[in-house]
Amino acid sequence: MAKLNHVLACEHELMTKTAVKAMLKEENCTLEQLPYLYINDPAVEHLISTGVKVVPGSVLHITRPSRTIETESYYRLVIEPYEGLPDEELL
C-alpha cells in the first residue's frame, strides 16, 4: 500500500483479480459501472513510482477516514485519459 505524503491523501491499493471479482459480486455491479480514475492521476502516478504495476483496466481500492465508521472503502477503475473533444452527439 502506498500513501501520498499529504494529510488529505487517501491510501490507494492495487486489487488482485480475485479481490476484484469478489468485490464486484459483493457490490452487485460490473467493472464498467465503477467510477474512473485516470492513469495520470497523481495518486496513480505515485503508486507507479513506488513499483506498483498499475495499467488501464486495473482496479484500485481507496481507503478514506470516515466520521461515522473507522474507514470507508471506494473502488476506481483505472483508464487512459480522454484526448480531444467529445462528439457533438454526446453533448
Side-chain angles (χ1 to χ4, degrees):
M1 213 177 312
K3 187 168 184 171
L4 289 170
N5 193 16
H6 190 277
V7 68
L8 297 177
C10 303
E11 293 183 25
H12 290 64
E13 179 181 10
L14 180 64
M15 296 180 69
T16 64
K17 289 182 180 183
T18 305
V20 170
K21 286 180 184 178
M23 178 273 300
L24 292 174
K25 184 175 182 180
E26 181 180 321
E27 298 294 330
N28 193 28
C29 67
T30 65
L31 195 62
E32 294 79 20
Q33 292 174 316
L34 292 176
Y36 302 136
L37 188 63
Y38 291 124
I39 191 102
N40 61 354
D41 182 275
V44 177
E45 288 180 340
H46 176 72
L47 280 176
I48 293 168
S49 74
T50 60
V52 179
K53 187 175 176 160
V54 181
V55 296
S58 299
V59 177
L60 298 182
H61 175 222
I62 302 168
T63 307
R64 296 180 181 158
S66 172
R67 292 181 183 173
T68 56
I69 58 175
E70 188 175 323
T71 59
E72 199 160 346
S73 293
Y74 296 87
Y75 305 96
R76 299 291 182 265
L77 175 65
V78 178
I79 63 168
E80 288 286 343
Y82 180 76
E83 295 184 17
L85 297 173
D87 294 335
E88 290 181 356
E89 298 171 359
L90 299 175
L91 298 177

